[in-house]
Amino acid sequence: MDLAYIPSPSTGVIHLGPIPLRGYAFCIIIGVFVAVWLGNRRWIARGGKPGTVADIAVWAVPFGLVGGRLYHVITDYQLYFGEGRNWVDAFKIWEGGLGIWGAIALGAVGAWIGCRLRGIPLPAWADALAPGIALAQACGRWGNWFNQELYGRATDLPWALKISEGPNRVAGTYHPTFLYESLWCVGVALLVIWADRRFKLGHGRAFALYVAAYCVGRGWIEYMRVDEAHHILGVRLNVWTSIVVFLLAVTYLVLSAKLRPGREAIVEPDREPSGGSEPAAEAGSEPATAKAGAASAVKAGSEPATATAKAGAGAVPKAGSEPAAKADAPKTGADADPKAGATAEDKTTGGDESAGAKAPEAKKL
């Protein structure tokens, strides 16, 4: 007698009038939102624009769904094209059946298109999104719980999953492989976030770490499953896929660290590196301040000179015009001091007569 177990929902769909609300679809949608939300935060932290992750996800998500479904249908074609099967069922994605390998592969194609349109390097975008993808998988695996599918071998453990009688399944308690993989994906997300902060991963290495870590968990979890699958040398196809993809990811990590160490300084072409905008503003403010000071100095020095020229123009036209012309041009050093003194003296004495008297003195200088 089983004293404890994880119950399965009696149904994976709730009908809201004529509209079916499927738990599997909700899990995928929640996963997409989590991935975009976390990816956006990480992208902004690396100097990117808000909303860029969502813009590229518009390309990546549809491609990923198609790729995931294609991988599932191709690797389990007997479920849809065998004797007594209906090929139309291959399009019923809401009934379950998405291969993560195909979703990542074709989703990367969609992301590449989106990145090309925005002029953004795909590896940098993938690094920002990597832990979010892992959390999206953690959410999506609960869709298998709603559909009562992809469970493991029979067990009487307290956390066993109870499966009810249904098409292609036998009632009993089994290993909840959906839960194992969901928890593993959460651990992968935390690992990538920690490693990215600790080692400043860049040029696609955070994404490669996510792929390698996920493959390790998927290998042993896949080995526990009892659903129908193709075997090569007595080992399930997805186990072989996990091994191959793991080796590719580790190879990329090693080679990338040697060929392109460090992290990208700029992730969007029209944005400056993170923390680089403030110094640029400060550096650019000095010339502006100097120009403003020079302009005010010219303005301050030109008004008395202009007044002097106007005042002395009636008595000595030629003498009044030269100081005015000279005062209009800013000077530095010793050449500017006599003008400054004359300006101060003009202001203190005031009147048309003093201004007219200054004009002949300026001519003697």
Side-chain angles (χ1 to χ4, degrees), residues 125-362:
W125 186 85
D127 283 342
L129 206 68
I133 296 176
L135 291 180
Q137 290 178 248
C139 296
R141 274 306 173 195
W142 284 85
N144 302 137
W145 176 66
F146 279 102
N147 287 352
Q148 295 194 48
E149 60 184 1
L150 306 185
Y151 43 84
R153 296 187 294 270
T155 182
D156 57 357
L157 291 171
W159 58 84
L161 175 67
K162 186 173 184 179
I163 298 295
S164 60
E165 189 72 25
N168 302 319
R169 64 175 186 254
V170 178
T173 54
Y174 302 87
H175 277 284
T177 51
F178 85 91
L179 179 60
Y180 298 161
E181 186 167 340
S182 180
L183 295 175
W184 181 268
C185 288
V186 172
V188 170
L190 296 176
L191 171 66
V192 173
I193 292 173
W194 170 82
D196 193 30
R197 292 178 177 175
R198 174 67 176 80
F199 303 105
K200 304 297 182 184
L201 302 177
H203 301 287
R205 288 188 287 276
F207 184 81
L209 176 62
Y210 143 72
V211 172
Y214 171 74
C215 288
V216 172
R218 179 62 184 269
W220 68 268
I221 293 172
E222 183 74 23
Y223 193 76
M224 296 176 63
R225 283 167 44 173
V226 294
D227 54 294
E228 186 177 356
H230 292 287
H231 289 71
I232 299 176
L233 300 178
V235 179
R236 292 170 67 95
L237 175 61
N238 281 332
V239 175
W240 285 110
T241 305
S242 299
I243 295 173
V244 172
V245 175
F246 170 80
L247 293 176
L248 292 175
V250 172
T251 301
Y252 180 87
L253 269 172
V254 175
L255 294 179
S256 176
K258 291 182 178 180
L259 298 176
R260 306 188 70 181
R263 177 185 285 180
E264 299 91 342
I266 299 177
V267 294
E268 290 203 50
D270 56 343
R271 292 296 293 266
E272 295 184 1
S274 179
S277 58
E278 293 182 1
E282 293 176 1
S285 63
E286 292 182 1
T289 305
K291 288 182 180 179
S296 61
V298 172
K299 186 176 180 181
S302 62
E303 288 179 358
T306 305
T308 303
K310 288 181 179 179
V316 187
K318 292 184 179 179
S321 60
E322 290 183 4
K326 292 181 180 180
D328 287 339
K331 293 185 178 181
T332 58
D335 293 338
D337 292 337
K339 298 294 182 182
T343 301
E345 187 176 353
D346 289 345
K347 287 185 177 180
T348 55
T349 55
D352 294 340
E353 295 180 1
S354 60
K358 293 298 176 181
E361 293 179 3

Side-chain angles (χ1 to χ4, degrees), residues 52-65 106-118 125:
T52 297
V53 169
D55 291 343
I56 298 176
V58 170
W59 288 90
V61 172
F63 274 74
L65 291 175
L106 206 55
V109 174
W112 176 79
I113 295 174
C115 287
R116 289 278 293 180
L117 294 175
R118 296 291 295 265
W125 186 85

